[in-house]
Amino acid sequence: GAGATFFCLDALQDDPWGQGSGSGRGGGNQSLQRGSVIAADFYGASNLLRLTDEEIVRRISKVMLPSAVPAFKSASVIDSWVKRFPNAVTHFAPGSETVRPPQTL
């Protein structure tokens, strides 16, 4: 089976609107924030390569993310980008585990 790690990029990067310092979660003008930027990184996922981009996005947004973070059930996907890297290996940044969404089995 495939494994996955989800990253909330707005928690890892500076406020995209330049309204505050640090994370998009707390910094800046809340009225300007439009949501979160989520990245999903799959490994051991050869069986997902055959799926369409739309099916991958649907599975992430409607099944996988809500199972990890129930608040995602009401989220809408505004934009998406799917890239496939067969036989590639992920290199995680040290310390990034502290800003990942909670993961449960």
Side-chain angles (χ1 to χ4, degrees):
T5 302
F6 300 103
F7 296 91
C8 186
L9 296 182
D10 48 323
L12 295 171
Q13 299 172 349
D14 286 335
D15 181 346
W17 292 279
Q19 299 294 318
S21 61
S23 95
R25 280 188 197 165
N29 184 338
Q30 296 297 323
S31 66
L32 292 177
Q33 292 188 2
R34 305 211 192 313
S36 293
V37 178
I38 304 296
D41 184 7
F42 292 93
Y43 34 90
S46 298
N47 58 333
L48 298 178
L49 292 174
R50 62 178 171 74
L51 300 177
T52 66
D53 290 0
E54 294 78 15
E55 180 60 18
I56 290 172
V57 170
R58 187 198 70 74
R59 287 185 186 199
I60 292 168
S61 63
K62 300 300 179 194
V63 178
M64 296 173 182
L65 280 173
S67 72
V69 181
F72 276 105
K73 287 181 183 175
S74 61
S76 298
V77 175
I78 295 171
D79 193 13
S80 64
W81 181 59
V82 175
K83 292 298 288 180
R84 291 165 177 81
F85 299 98
N87 303 314
V89 177
T90 300
H91 180 72
F92 296 106
S96 65
E97 66 279 353
T98 62
V99 291
R100 286 187 218 144
Q103 297 175 352
T104 59
L105 296 175

